[in-house]
Amino acid sequence: MALQTSTIFSLQAPKDISLNEIDAELNQIWQSYGITGEDGGLPSATRATTFTLVVYEPEETQYLLAALGFYNGPIDGILGPQMAAALREVQNKHKLPETGTATPETLTVLREEFAKGQRSGTGGEHAIAGLNSGSPRIADEIALRNPCRIIALFPITGEDEGVKAQVSAYCPIQKQSSSTLICCEYITLSGTAAALERIGGMIPALLIGGLPKFLWWKATPDPNNGLFKRLAAICNNVIVDSCNFNEPESDLLRLEELVEAGVPLADLNWRRLASWQELTAEAYDSPKRRAALKEIDRVTIDYEKGNPAQALLFLGWLASRLEWQPVSYQKESGDYDITRIHFISQDQRQVEAELAGVPVADVGDIIGDLIALRLSSTNPQADCGTVICSETGGCMRMETHGGAQSAGLFQQVTSLSEQKAEALLSQQVQRWGRESLFEESLGVTANIFKLAN
C-alpha cells in the first residue's frame, strides 16, 4: 500500500502587509486559531517556538538563464554585464526587443523553455528549486519535522519599488496528534537585491529571540555581499548546497574564505557523501587492511558530468584523513571532464588521483552525484584495493580498466533515502556550529584549486 504524506493545512494563505505589520499580523493569526473552532473540525493551533530559518532564494531570471545554458556567472541576483548579455542572447533568439533586461516577455519565454526541458528531461545541468515565492514547499518539509519560523527572501529583477512582505502559516496534520496543531510561520520578503539589502537591518528583529537561527543561502555564497554578511553574523549556522553551484571551483573557494573568516558553515552536498565515506572507512577496518592504507597511491572517482563538487569534497576528505598534500592540478574537457591531481604522502610517496565527469543518459535530481570510485596501489603486494559503486552499472569503467578484478574488496553504495535539499535541511537544523571534518576537507579542496592559479 502506498504511503501517504501528511496533509498541510493552511491557517492563512500568503497575505500582503507592510513591513511594520508583520509581528502584529502573526499574533492575530494565533489569536484566531488558539482555540478549537465552533464546529470542532480542527484542533487548536500553536505557533512554532523551535528556531528561525532564513532562506535566501536565487533570483528567478538568473537561475533560469543558467539552467538553460545562457549564463555561466555567479547566481547573485545582480544584473551585471554577463547577465545582460545572456538576456540579449535570449531576446535575439526569440525575436524579442533586445533590452538586456528581464522584461515580462523574456521571463515568460524563459519559463516556457525551462518547462519544455523538464518535460523532455533536458532541462539543463542546474536544477531549479522553489522559484514560486507563494509555495509552502519548504514549509512542508521543515514543518513536518521541525515547526519553526521561516523568513524567505526573494530577490527580483526590474525597478526598485521597495520590499513586498507577506505572511502565512502552515500546519502538518498528523493522525497521531489529537488535540493541537504545531505550526510553521512563513514570512516572505521580495524586492530587488538592493532593496533587500536596504532593509537587512530589520530582519534581526524578525528572528525568534533566544533560539537557534539558521541561514540557508541558496544563491552563490559571496563573502562581500552586504546582506549575506549581515545575516551570517547573526545566525548560528550558514547552510549552502554546492550541488547547485554554477562555478563549482570558484564557489568552493568562496566557502573556504568564509570558513577562514569564522563563519559556521554547512554544505548539504557534504551530507550526500555520508554513505561513500562510511563504506570507504569500513573497507579498512580490519587490522591487516588498516596497515595497508598507507599503500594507496591511485584514486579514481567517477561522477555524473555537470558539477564536480561531490567528487572534489570526497577527495578532499580522503586526502585530509591520509595526510596527503596536493602538488599539481590539471583539467581536460571533452566527452569526459577529466581532472588529475597529484599528492605527496607523509612518507614522500607519489599519489595520483583522477576525477572523471561521466556523461549519463539518465541524470538524477542531484547534479554531480558520485557513480564509482577505486582505491589501489602500484605495489602488487598491497592489500588495499577497493572498488565502491552506486549500482552495478556504475562500475563499468572500473571493470574495463581491471579495477574490479584486482580489488580486494568490492562494495555497493545504498544512497541516502532522501537526497533532496529540503529533506537534508530538516536534518541539518538539528545541529549547528562549526564542523571540523568538513572544514578540513574543504581546506584541502581549496589548496588543490590554488595550484591552478
Side-chain angles (χ1 to χ4, degrees):
M1 186 170 68
L3 293 175
Q4 293 184 343
T5 57
S6 300
T7 302
I8 295 290
F9 174 72
S10 176
L11 292 184
Q12 176 176 285
K15 177 182 178 182
D16 292 342
I17 58 171
S18 66
L19 287 171
N20 57 10
E21 294 175 335
I22 291 175
D23 276 324
E25 183 64 31
L26 287 172
N27 287 332
Q28 179 60 38
I29 293 173
W30 302 117
Q31 287 172 8
S32 301
Y33 287 91
I35 57 174
T36 305
E38 292 181 4
D39 61 357
L42 281 172
S44 60
T46 301
R47 74 188 308 174
T49 55
T50 50
F51 60 85
T52 303
L53 174 67
V54 182
V55 183
Y56 186 91
E57 288 279 355
E59 197 282 313
E60 181 184 10
T61 309
Q62 201 173 53
Y63 217 3
L64 287 168
L65 289 168
L68 295 170
F70 292 102
Y71 176 76
N72 294 311
I75 307 297
D76 53 12
I78 298 171
L79 180 59
Q82 273 185 284
M83 187 174 169
L87 285 166
R88 281 192 291 271
E89 184 181 349
V90 172
Q91 290 160 346
N92 176 270
K93 178 179 177 181
H94 293 277
K95 308 273 191 296
L96 298 173
E98 294 185 39
T99 62
T101 59
T103 63
E105 296 80 10
T106 306
L107 191 53
T108 297
V109 165
L110 288 171
R111 287 169 175 160
E112 289 174 351
E113 289 297 306
F114 178 74
K116 288 178 188 175
Q118 290 291 89
R119 287 193 294 270
S120 65
T122 59
E125 291 185 346
H126 299 278
I128 294 185
L131 291 178
N132 180 3
S133 63
S135 169
R137 192 163 71 87
I138 301 172
D140 290 2
E141 294 285 352
I142 299 299
L144 287 173
R145 304 171 179 85
N146 311 278
C148 64
R149 174 177 291 186
I150 296 175
I151 304 172
L153 309 178
F154 288 89
I156 59 175
T157 57
E159 295 296 321
D160 189 341
E161 299 177 351
V163 174
K164 175 183 175 182
Q166 293 182 326
V167 296
S168 52
Y170 302 97
C171 310
I173 300 177
Q174 308 277 14
K175 287 185 177 180
Q176 61 268 29
S177 65
S178 55
S179 60
T180 305
L181 295 175
I182 307 298
C183 307
C184 180
E185 304 173 340
Y186 206 83
I187 302 169
T188 302
L189 303 175
S190 59
T192 64
L196 289 173
E197 185 169 342
R198 196 166 58 244
I199 61 102
M202 300 178 64
I203 295 175
L206 300 175
L207 308 180
I208 302 174
L211 293 172
K213 305 164 185 66
F214 298 90
L215 170 62
W216 186 17
W217 192 266
K218 297 175 73 174
T220 299
D222 181 2
N224 299 313
N225 180 294
L227 182 59
F228 178 87
K229 287 196 293 186
R230 185 190 296 270
L231 294 175
I234 59 174
C235 289
N236 300 93
N237 230 175
V238 176
I239 302 167
V240 298
D241 192 347
S242 59
C243 86
N244 288 324
F245 284 176
N246 207 32
E247 299 177 312
E249 294 185 6
S250 58
D251 292 344
L252 286 171
L253 273 173
R254 287 192 183 96
L255 292 191
E256 172 62 11
E257 290 178 39
L258 294 170
V259 168
E260 291 294 324
V263 174
L265 201 64
D267 182 358
L268 299 181
N269 217 19
W270 169 259
R271 298 281 167 218
R272 298 186 182 101
L273 294 174
S275 298
W276 295 89
Q277 293 167 328
E278 289 170 10
L279 280 180
T280 303
E282 182 184 294
Y284 299 96
D285 271 349
S286 68
K288 181 181 177 182
R289 284 180 63 83
R290 193 176 309 146
L293 261 174
K294 68 178 186 300
E295 298 287 346
I296 295 174
D297 57 19
R298 294 293 181 272
V299 180
T300 305
I301 302 175
D302 285 0
Y303 62 94
E304 290 186 9
K305 184 178 179 180
N307 185 329
Q310 276 193 28
L312 289 163
L313 287 171
F314 181 88
L315 182 61
W317 168 76
L318 186 66
S320 71
R321 296 302 89 201
L322 299 181
E323 300 183 290
W324 297 342
Q325 295 299 319
V327 293
S328 72
Y329 171 75
Q330 295 176 310
K331 287 182 65 177
E332 300 172 13
S333 296
D335 292 337
Y336 284 63
D337 288 342
I338 303 296
T339 303
R340 293 185 176 89
I341 302 113
H342 287 194
F343 297 88
I344 293 290
S345 68
Q346 285 291 92
D347 58 1
Q348 300 304 302
R349 298 174 72 247
Q350 298 282 335
V351 179
E352 295 182 8
E354 177 185 282
L355 311 184
V358 180
V360 293
D362 185 17
V363 178
D365 291 328
I366 308 303
I367 303 301
D369 266 344
L370 294 195
I371 298 173
L373 69 89
R374 179 175 68 244
L375 307 176
S376 58
S377 175
T378 52
N379 176 5
Q381 305 304 316
D383 179 21
C384 64
T386 300
V387 172
I388 303 177
C389 307
S390 58
E391 55 186 9
T392 305
C395 274
M396 288 178 62
R397 206 170 76 91
M398 302 300 174
E399 292 169 348
T400 301
H401 289 78
Q405 288 82 358
S406 63
L409 190 64
F410 189 101
Q411 302 191 78
Q412 185 170 328
V413 168
T414 300
S415 62
L416 296 176
S417 58
E418 180 54 83
Q419 294 206 84
K420 291 184 179 178
E422 283 79 6
L424 291 175
L425 183 69
S426 69
Q427 301 167 24
Q428 183 62 52
V429 293
Q430 303 298 325
R431 60 178 73 86
W432 55 88
R434 302 186 67 162
E435 298 186 48
S436 58
L437 190 56
F438 168 66
E439 291 183 359
E440 290 172 17
S441 305
L442 182 63
V444 174
T445 306
N447 288 337
I448 292 171
F449 299 148
K450 290 171 185 175
L451 293 172
N453 300 321

